[in-house]
Amino acid sequence: MTAALAASLSSQGHSFLSPTGVEIVFVLVGLAVLGAAVLTVSTSQLVHAALWLVVALGGLAIEYLLLTAEFIAWVQVLIYLGSVVVLVLFGLMLTRAPIGRSPDADSGNRWVALGLAVVAAGTLVTLVVDAFRCTWMDLPASGSTSVNGSTQANGEVLFRYWVLPFEALSVLLLAALVGAIVLSRRHREEG
Amino acid sequence: MHLAYPAVLAALLFCVGLYGVLARRNAVLMLMSVELMLNAVNLNLVAFDVWLRDTLHAGQALTLFTITIAAAEIGLGLAIVLMVFRTQGTADIDRLRELSEPPADGLPPGPTGAEAGPDDSDTASPASPASPASLTGSAQGKAGAV
């Protein structure tokens, strides 16, 4: 039965046993991303956690590139690596995070959290692998003109079909900006 | 490409972020873990958009929206954390318990008391039965002074 399954799969040109180069690169970068993410949530040096977050988010940008979503990849680099990590580093500095090791970086309920995360990971991975066992994506060829993640395709779709959410999101960003300014004002009248 | 690779990576990344949110004590580190979880969702959206070949590009458009909302969220979150740090002098979430329910007097410790018990012993206070009452008294005194 497995031979028949493998034959039927290889007849479509897909097989687990012969991964393509894109898949190998994806898995390797994915391992790097996971390792950086685990170090982000487990290191006891707070500034190093922010720098490992840079590695994880940059690796995710590479994954987007491998999935042919190049516009998303550059937006990820610009916004996450460019602004969010800088904001986090500013937050760490303004809250006077210790530079060296801080032994109390982890809460007391970390073992409960670890158990919960392992249970959730087991459930999700089992479910996902079982659901998408025989599902393959057809990535467009690199030379084709209509790559579905290009800036042109994204821009056309975004300003033709998604204009209203886009504008609502700009209002939300303005509200967040005003809210952040109001929250971080130093002097208030009533003290 | 097999769809299971990005899906499994996203699931594992989400669970790493979940662990970080639950286990970290510093509020800024908790926000970083929230970013990890949001990125896992983004990876899922992009992978399913590429798989389904949606003509509206719903996955990638929603990924852009999620990235924008994440930027707004981290800005507001850091502003809140900075304000808490200025008023309370700490960014440790375990020590911010002024809004926690005081244990009811005269009643046996219910579920809230059992919930607050291990945390009180965790913050290096002796786990004596008098300590919750003294904490409550000081909190009430502080609230009265303000």
Side-chain angles (χ1 to χ4, degrees):
Chain A
M1 181 184 171
T2 53
L5 185 64
S8 69
L9 288 180
S10 61
S11 65
Q12 302 165 7
H14 300 303
S15 173
F16 268 123
L17 302 178
S18 63
T20 59
V22 176
E23 286 179 339
I24 295 173
V25 176
F26 191 93
V27 169
L28 289 180
V29 178
L31 286 178
V33 167
L34 264 188
V38 168
L39 280 172
T40 300
V41 299
S42 67
T43 181
S44 62
Q45 309 197 25
L46 305 185
V47 182
H48 286 195
L51 299 180
W52 282 116
L53 186 69
V54 172
V55 177
L57 298 180
L60 269 173
I62 299 176
E63 305 279 45
Y64 294 152
L65 273 184
L66 290 176
L67 286 171
T68 70
E70 55 181 49
F71 183 64
I72 304 289
W74 297 124
V75 166
Q76 168 99 358
V77 170
L78 279 177
I79 293 187
Y80 270 109
L81 300 188
S83 67
V84 166
V85 172
V86 173
L87 267 181
V88 164
L89 281 173
F90 265 103
L92 279 178
M93 282 189 281
L94 288 176
T95 54
R96 300 202 188 110
I99 294 297
R101 275 175 196 287
S102 56
D104 58 346
D106 282 330
S107 168
N109 51 9
R110 60 179 300 185
W111 297 112
V112 180
L114 187 63
L116 195 61
V118 166
V119 167
T123 310
L124 279 178
V125 169
T126 309
L127 185 71
V128 160
V129 167
D130 190 45
F132 303 118
R133 200 172 23 198
C134 300
T135 311
W136 271 269
M137 299 184 272
D138 289 324
L139 296 180
S142 59
S144 67
T145 55
S146 67
V147 181
N148 64 352
S150 66
T151 310
Q152 182 184 356
N154 263 313
E156 281 176 357
V157 166
L158 201 60
F159 289 105
R160 184 169 297 160
Y161 302 108
W162 297 93
V163 173
L164 191 61
F166 189 83
E167 297 297 332
L169 209 59
S170 66
V171 176
L172 179 104
L173 265 185
L174 180 67
L177 178 71
V178 174
I181 290 174
V182 168
L183 278 179
S184 57
R185 261 195 326 184
R186 195 171 281 273
H187 300 294
R188 294 196 311 185
E189 282 75 12
E190 66 270 18
Chain B
M1 185 189 288
H2 202 291
L3 185 59
Y5 293 141
V8 167
L9 177 62
L12 289 177
L13 209 58
F14 187 86
C15 293
V16 169
L18 179 68
Y19 167 75
V21 168
L22 291 178
R24 283 305 202 178
R25 180 174 279 177
N26 194 317
V28 183
L29 291 180
M30 211 181 72
L31 282 176
M32 287 164 53
S33 307
V34 172
E35 294 301 312
L36 279 179
M37 295 166 82
L38 284 169
N39 268 286
V41 175
N42 285 346
L43 182 61
N44 250 338
L45 282 173
V46 169
F48 279 91
D49 180 79
V50 174
W51 174 45
L52 294 173
R53 295 184 167 275
D54 189 10
T55 53
L56 287 185
H57 278 301
Q60 299 196 14
L62 283 178
T63 306
L64 287 177
F65 296 162
T66 314
I67 289 175
T68 315
I69 290 177
E73 171 256 331
I74 193 107
L76 273 183
L78 281 177
I80 292 173
V81 168
L82 286 184
M83 195 177 69
V84 167
F85 180 76
R86 269 210 305 268
T87 56
Q88 307 285 320
T90 179
D92 283 0
I93 319 169
D94 288 356
R95 293 187 194 150
L96 302 174
R97 38 181 61 252
E98 291 211 343
L99 287 181
S100 65
E101 283 189 21
D105 293 330
L107 288 175
T112 58
E115 202 172 296
D119 286 335
D120 282 341
S121 65
D122 183 51
T123 53
S125 69
S128 67
S131 63
S134 64
L135 280 178
T136 323
S138 67
Q140 283 169 353
K142 202 183 291 179
V146 169

